[in-house]
Amino acid sequence: MLDASPTATCPAHAPADHPAVKPEKVGILLANLGTPDHYSYWPMRRYLGEFLSDKRVIDYPAWKWQPLLQLIILTKRPFASGAAYKSIWNHDKGESPLMTITKDQTHEMAQAMEAIYGDQVMVDFCMRYGNPSTKSKVDEMVAAGCRKILFVPLYPQYAGATSGTANDEFFRALMEQTWQPAARTIEPYFDQPEYIDALAKSVEEAYAKAEKKPDILVCSYHGMPKRYLMQGDPYHCQCQKTTRLLRERLGWGESQITTTFQSVFGPEEWLRPYTVEHVAELAKQGKKRIAVIAPAFSADCIETLEEINEEIFESFEHAGGEDFTYIPCLNESAGHISALSKMIQNNLKGWLD
């Protein structure tokens, strides 16, 4: 994908029977969480089975977790999750919104990189769960002559269950290569000025369009068990810093913005406050107009289009809330692509200057 590699040739001074070798280039591999191939039962079951079997996501012992997962959760959950996906599905293209947006992001990034580096780079994307798999895209890049690969998990804040597991899968793919390329992974970019500026501009644009100014902006991040924080995962701290930097960039007071966490799963305590509960509490406190943004997501997906726009909105409305504004993810916006492009350029130094 997005590659126009010259034909492979026999290296100079090599014997005539030497295998043909593609000219060297640098691969830029964007990575997102993943998506089921369809919202029907079996594709949903395959996707959820892969996702919920990841030890980075659910770290319970296999002997305890797998029977529960295989016999109970994967018997029922694909129906509920499938219905949620169906409600947001891109029926015209036969794919989830996350897939559509990630393709668009990749296209925009490929054009941006080609303008800077010409045919020295190959830009593509992979998914941690589902298709296209990380392994398949690493295989394609190596076959196309990529002797160096920059791996770019599209998660602003680091978490073991997002960036960490994406990197794990990338390294596993490298283990299967006969001739391994040099590899780099990017750092979290939650505090990069270009990313914060892109977030701030999306907020400013949404507020400018609103008929009535929201009373408060809720920054809703994907949740994780509190236990992970206590074990040293930096995600919670990076989320809090993202909100603070966004507030400072907007020039707001502390009462105008708050941090919450969504997508709670299982019986143990997760990072608090929970978005679905907090928006209801805000409504009861008299904050009848709120805006919600999801700074941990690089692309709109099931957690934003369905969970925020439906479940969290309904919680706010039922508690007496009146005006609910969802501010879309940065997606393939010019500001987002520019921020990612600058970050990628910084990480390519020494490889391509």
Side-chain angles (χ1 to χ4, degrees), residues 181-319:
R184 292 177 178 172
T185 63
I186 65 161
E187 293 182 312
Y189 54 96
F190 67 97
D191 57 354
Q192 293 301 300
E194 295 81 8
Y195 162 69
I196 296 297
D197 190 58
L199 279 180
K201 287 179 178 176
S202 73
V203 173
E204 290 168 343
E205 290 172 3
Y207 272 50
K209 293 177 182 177
E211 293 185 6
K212 296 180 179 179
K213 183 180 177 181
D215 298 318
I216 191 169
L217 175 65
V218 177
C219 294
S220 181
Y221 299 85
H222 197 288
M224 68 161 52
K226 183 179 179 181
R227 173 169 52 86
Y228 291 8
L229 165 64
M230 307 313 292
Q231 291 171 350
D233 194 300
Y235 178 72
H236 177 266
C237 299
Q238 292 181 3
C239 292
Q240 295 286 356
K241 187 171 182 180
T242 298
T243 300
R244 176 175 64 79
L245 293 174
L246 176 59
R247 176 178 62 79
E248 292 173 355
R249 162 61 179 78
L250 290 167
W252 289 1
E254 293 185 7
S255 63
Q256 294 175 276
I257 191 169
T258 187
T259 297
T260 63
F261 298 90
Q262 64 182 84
S263 308
V264 176
F265 176 80
E268 65 181 303
E269 182 179 2
W270 281 44
L271 299 176
R272 290 181 178 271
Y274 300 154
T275 305
V276 69
E277 296 176 356
H278 193 66
V279 296
E281 185 61 31
L282 289 173
K284 294 173 183 176
Q285 292 173 2
K287 297 187 185 300
K288 302 298 185 179
R289 300 185 298 274
I290 68 170
V292 179
I293 192 171
F297 298 92
S298 64
D300 277 305
C301 55
I302 192 73
E303 286 85 358
T304 63
L305 299 175
E306 195 275 336
E307 185 177 358
I308 290 179
N309 265 326
E310 295 184 22
E311 178 185 352
I312 291 169
F313 165 68
E314 289 173 3
S315 175
F316 176 68
E317 187 177 49
H318 290 165

Side-chain angles (χ1 to χ4, degrees), residues 56 128 151 153-169 171 185-189 235 238:
R56 287 274 202 176
R128 170 61 183 88
F151 188 65
L154 293 173
Y155 305 106
Q157 301 82 16
Y158 175 91
T162 55
S163 306
T165 189
N167 288 336
D168 290 346
E169 194 71 2
F171 298 141
T185 63
I186 65 161
E187 293 182 312
Y189 54 96
Y235 178 72
Q238 292 181 3

Side-chain angles (χ1 to χ4, degrees), residues 69-80:
L69 176 64
Q70 299 298 330
L71 299 177
I72 299 177
I73 295 174
L74 292 181
T75 300
K76 299 179 180 180
R77 192 176 177 96
F79 291 109

